[in-house]
Amino acid sequence: QKSLNEYLDIKKALYPRFYFVSAVALLDMLANGTNPRKIVPYLGDCNDALADLAFVKNEDGSESNKSADVMIAKDRERVKMHDVFTMEGEVEHYLNRLTVAMQTTLRHQLLRGIEDGVNWDVDPNLPRHKWLFKYPAQVVLTGSLIYWTEETEQGLEELEAGKEDAVKLVLANAKDRLGKLIQLVLGKLTREERTKTITLITMDVHGRDVLQRLI
């Protein structure tokens, strides 16, 4: 028992998220490390949001046993990975690489989302209430907060420079975007889309209230 615990502690040091799983589950993972499909059911124990992976389709229509290209969250949101991820080698090592792969995917998605967000008010094909369906929820919420902060700071700087209605214009724009989101939830949305939109509305209401207090 002592030797077993020492062995498990070594593995936990290499992949600290192993601390979140029971000893029995950890032994099962270590015993089946070369069979990624038997590891996937434990991803939800090791990660706060990741629940599953979708494996790459082979040319003959079958699924790969080791290469995945889509992350599936616990709320079933699907996010295509930036690069195909292959689960090879010792389980603790490829699970560490999976964490990096998740971060890399979201980083690239966030950069693309921010680039698209510049055109919210000038591109009729991609206003924010359409933009939000193009990206994962984490990117939509983070990107929206980034732009709210930038626009609010710019409004305050213009106010300081003598433009008396600068912050009021930011508020009017925020109210307009909020109104479009409210119209969205009155229509037909999937469960994931509705959850994302309602969360964004909650953040927008908070942002609107902050602007009103600033004014």
Side-chain angles (χ1 to χ4, degrees), residues 13 21 23 26 32 39 51 69 76 102 110 120-121 129 134 148 153 161 167 173 181 184 199 212:
V21 301
L26 179 50
N32 293 288
I39 302 301
D69 60 351
R76 309 318 295 171
M102 285 191 284
L110 182 59
W120 281 346
D121 300 320
H129 59 282
K134 187 177 176 181
W148 180 90
E153 287 181 345
V167 182
N173 196 22
L181 293 181
L184 271 183
T199 306
Q212 287 176 334

Side-chain angles (χ1 to χ4, degrees), residues 17 100 120 129 200:
R17 291 171 186 260
V100 175
W120 281 346
H129 59 282
L200 189 53

